Amino acid sequence: MNKRIRRFIGDFYLVLMLLFLYLPIFTMIVLSFNESKSRTRWGGFTLRWYGELFSNATIMRAFYNTLLIAFLSALIATVLGTAAAIGLHAMKRTGRNLMIGLNNIPMLDADIVTGISLMLAFIAFRFTLGFHTVLISHITFNVPYVLLSVLPKLQQTNRSAYEAAMDLGATPRQAFFYTVFPDIVPGVLSGFLLAFTMSLDDFIITHFTKGAGIDTLSTLIYSQVRRGIVPSMYALSAIIFAAVLLLLLVANFMPSAKNSKQV
């Protein structure tokens, strides 16, 4: 009996946590199909807000800015972070540990401190706040995440394969791309995806460095809270959630499908 009670409590706790995590998302999805603009009254099922979403220039512009900044910042941060990881991997232990500690500081620092510091730096160097300052800011806080994703993979590589390729006449670039890079690709990809995700939903740093005339989804939603969020934003959030869920399902079930074919 005690075992059943413990199992029931465990299952109840699991269900409670899932409800806590996903009930707000489910509520948002339901509201995206609500005919009424009210968040407390059901006015009937409709696809109206999904239609208005794609005709809303403000939301589409913010969505485009969000994706473009996230992709460019993740791509540039991945290149810079991977190069930094290669450099750190070649350093002696003491210097490497010191640089890793310095790399961790931006990740542990509060976003508001990073945002204000970057804003003051841009102003001091007479940068006009806009798209390019947001992009530079996102690259800045993404590089440490990429570095920490790539460095462990580098530490797992076999240096003797690189040296053997050099002995066989390969150039340093050829030896790297044929022997080292294939081993660190998972770390590079995970760093890119992590950087893309971090950039996609960042608000605080973007808010302080964007200036006037440009918005991302997070800053646009913040500005709409005072006037009332339009239901089209619920529709866009529902689409983004569905896309992320689909990607997760594909990522989780594709390997199992490949393994079953091999068996």
Side-chain angles (χ1 to χ4, degrees):
M1 188 64 181
N2 291 335
K3 186 177 180 180
R4 290 183 179 179
I5 293 175
R6 287 197 300 268
R7 184 175 180 180
F8 172 79
I9 293 174
D11 293 342
F12 177 77
Y13 177 75
L14 177 61
V15 171
L16 192 65
M17 290 302 299
L18 290 175
L19 286 175
F20 179 77
L21 291 173
Y22 290 102
L23 189 59
I25 299 176
F26 177 74
T27 303
M28 178 197 65
I29 294 174
V30 171
L31 288 175
S32 71
F33 296 105
N34 186 10
E35 176 70 30
S36 173
K37 291 185 178 181
S38 172
R39 292 190 290 269
T40 58
R41 182 175 60 86
W42 178 256
F45 181 86
T46 184
L47 294 175
R48 168 189 170 188
W49 309 121
Y50 287 86
E52 290 189 4
L53 166 65
F54 297 102
S55 61
N56 191 316
T58 302
I59 295 179
M60 286 293 99
R61 193 182 307 112
F63 183 53
Y64 172 78
N65 290 335
T66 302
L67 290 181
L68 184 60
I69 290 172
F71 177 77
L72 290 178
S73 64
L75 183 63
I76 297 172
T78 300
V79 174
L80 296 178
T82 302
I86 295 170
L88 283 180
H89 182 63
M91 293 176 64
K92 294 182 179 179
R93 181 183 296 273
T94 303
R96 183 169 64 245
N97 291 338
L98 176 62
M99 295 305 297
I100 291 175
L102 292 174
N103 177 76
N104 292 338
I105 293 176
M107 294 187 296
L108 299 175
D109 204 3
D111 284 350
I112 191 169
V113 175
T114 303
I116 294 175
S117 300
L118 287 168
M119 179 188 67
L120 294 176
F122 291 138
I123 293 174
F125 287 101
R126 301 185 183 279
F127 279 45
T128 302
L129 298 183
F131 180 90
H132 60 288
T133 55
V134 176
L135 179 60
I136 294 171
S137 301
H138 283 222
I139 294 171
T140 301
F141 72 74
N142 276 332
V143 167
Y145 292 100
V146 176
L147 192 150
L148 286 186
S149 298
V150 177
L151 191 58
K153 292 297 181 181
L154 277 170
Q155 293 172 343
Q156 296 172 8
T157 57
N158 187 359
R159 185 171 179 81
S160 59
Y162 176 82
E163 294 173 348
M166 294 283 288
D167 291 338
L168 293 173
T171 63
R173 176 182 294 183
Q174 291 174 331
F176 171 78
F177 280 104
Y178 280 109
T179 62
V180 178
F181 188 71
D183 292 333
I184 66 173
V185 164
V188 173
L189 290 178
S190 63
F192 173 83
L193 292 175
L194 181 59
F196 184 83
T197 304
M198 295 294 294
S199 176
L200 200 64
D201 67 352
D202 177 76
F203 166 72
I204 297 177
I205 297 175
T206 304
H207 177 71
F208 282 103
T209 59
K210 74 181 185 68
I214 179 175
D215 266 312
T216 61
L217 285 177
S218 59
T219 58
L220 179 62
I221 292 173
Y222 175 76
S223 65
Q224 287 186 350
V225 167
R226 304 169 189 174
R227 305 188 302 268
I229 299 176
V230 294
S232 297
M233 195 62 75
Y234 302 147
L236 178 59
S237 301
I239 292 173
I240 294 174
F241 174 76
V244 172
L245 181 62
L246 180 62
L247 287 174
L248 287 175
L249 291 175
V250 171
N252 281 279
F253 287 105
M254 281 288 287
S256 60
K258 290 180 180 178
N259 292 336
S260 62
K261 287 182 180 180
Q262 292 176 355
V263 174

